[in-house]
Amino acid sequence: MLDPRLLRSFAAIADTGSFTQAAERLNMTQSTISQQLARLEDAVGLDLIDRVARPVRPTASGERLLGYARRILALQQEAEAMLGDPAGTASVRIGVPEDIVTGAMAKVFASFARQHREIRLDVFAGLSRELTKRYRAGELDIAVVKEASASADHRATFPEPMAWFESVDPPASWPDPLPLVAFPPGGLYREAMFERIEREQRRWYIAFSGSSLYNVLVAVEAGLGLSLLPMEAAAGRRLRPYAPFGKEPAMVTSIYSWEKSGPVAELVESMSAVLAARFSTGT
């Protein structure tokens, strides 16, 4: 291993052509800088500076080492600067359903990141029940979840209208049993859908199961079956309400956070504002 302190002394001697000037540049005594060069030469087993020349200059071996020495010193300086910059050294863990990360929400994250360079945003998308479980276990700092009703410790909650949808180009008549497009087991919409269709005393089967909202929407658009979806998520898609079932009772989208003050609380307020605008305008 080449000691950067010795390399720095060697480079200073080579740059200035003088032990005296090199010592002044590094705030050392001439004796100290001479000792450091001697230690480096002992380590590599070669003479690095021609002490007879005036001004002194690197030997052939010294010239070969000098470029590497400068690169090593530059990398060390870069590493020290990087470690001295707190950017991204703290983490805020956020859990959200995938459709919550809209353009407006992404702008909130970007603005927060610019104002708080020391904080890294770790965003996890998933099903609401899994996100709730992780939040309660302390694995998330902020959680946005969809649920039948908000828990008492919510920071904000907003109603989310729900309805049954089919493709704008449905079959002439749906078969019996009805094909359904659903989320994986454990999904809130999936269970609400089953409860309603059981009340209707209709026979059914799962024709398509999608792990994401996008997959479910595309499957319904393609005519694979019926599904219960947030009305906002269906807006602008090639879908239409399925009239025989129509709307369902609204669910809620709630935001939770352990922190009540500081940067995390500020972020929660900004996220809540985006959710409020979304659910008040339907955009």
Side-chain angles (χ1 to χ4, degrees):
M1 298 290 290
L2 298 177
D3 189 332
R5 295 173 298 175
L6 307 184
L7 292 175
R8 187 174 292 108
S9 294
F10 165 60
I13 295 169
D15 290 342
T16 62
S18 166
F19 283 81
T20 301
Q21 293 180 34
E24 291 174 353
R25 174 184 289 187
L26 299 180
N27 294 317
M28 296 179 182
T29 65
Q30 184 173 335
S31 174
T32 299
I33 206 163
S34 296
Q35 291 173 8
Q36 291 196 345
L37 175 62
R39 288 173 56 194
L40 180 60
E41 290 177 326
D42 287 343
V44 299
L46 297 166
D47 290 334
L48 300 175
I49 293 291
D50 183 352
R51 293 165 172 79
V52 176
R54 290 294 179 269
V56 298
R57 60 176 179 265
T59 63
S61 297
E63 288 179 338
R64 294 178 62 189
L65 177 61
L66 187 57
Y68 291 102
R70 287 174 174 152
R71 287 160 58 186
I72 291 170
L73 294 171
L75 284 172
Q76 182 189 35
Q77 185 176 15
E78 182 181 337
E80 290 172 350
M82 180 274 295
L83 292 174
D85 186 344
T89 54
S91 171
V92 172
R93 302 159 300 174
I94 306 170
V96 292
E98 62 174 320
D99 62 309
I100 293 299
V101 187
T102 59
M105 189 65 77
K107 288 181 179 178
V108 165
F109 292 157
S111 176
F112 181 85
R114 285 193 296 269
Q115 296 175 36
H116 302 279
R117 293 182 62 253
E118 75 281 5
I119 296 178
R120 179 184 73 252
L121 298 180
D122 293 332
V123 180
F124 306 90
L127 296 177
S128 290
R129 284 184 172 165
E130 180 61 26
L131 295 176
T132 298
K133 181 179 178 181
R134 293 187 62 183
Y135 174 76
R136 296 300 177 191
E139 297 177 10
L140 299 173
D141 302 297
I142 301 172
V144 178
V145 299
K146 302 183 180 189
E147 49 195 354
S149 59
S151 298
D153 60 341
H154 69 271
R155 299 294 302 279
T157 187
F158 310 93
E160 182 175 51
M162 304 291 296
W164 286 79
F165 288 92
E166 64 180 349
S167 170
V168 294
D169 300 310
S173 61
W174 287 105
D176 182 17
L178 282 172
L180 301 181
V181 176
F183 287 90
L188 187 65
Y189 300 159
R190 178 187 177 108
E191 294 184 2
M193 184 168 60
F194 291 171
E195 290 174 4
R196 172 62 187 276
I197 205 165
E198 291 291 348
R199 290 199 305 271
E200 295 290 333
Q201 297 184 345
R202 297 291 301 272
R203 298 195 307 154
W204 56 272
Y205 71 99
I206 300 296
F208 182 92
S209 178
S211 61
S212 70
L213 178 61
Y214 175 79
N215 290 341
V216 169
L217 288 169
V218 169
V220 178
E221 284 181 323
L224 281 168
L226 309 172
S227 192
L228 176 64
L229 296 165
M231 294 180 65
E232 191 278 332
R237 312 289 307 201
R238 290 183 53 78
L239 302 174
R240 71 181 188 185
Y242 180 63
F245 289 174
K247 294 182 178 180
E248 287 285 325
M251 296 186 184
V252 298
T253 295
S254 307
I255 185 166
Y256 296 86
S257 172
W258 298 110
E259 300 292 333
K260 308 303 181 187
S261 61
V264 173
E266 295 173 12
L267 178 57
V268 169
E269 290 182 7
S270 298
M271 293 174 64
S272 298
V274 170
L275 294 174
R278 168 179 174 156
F279 290 111
S280 64
T281 63
T283 59

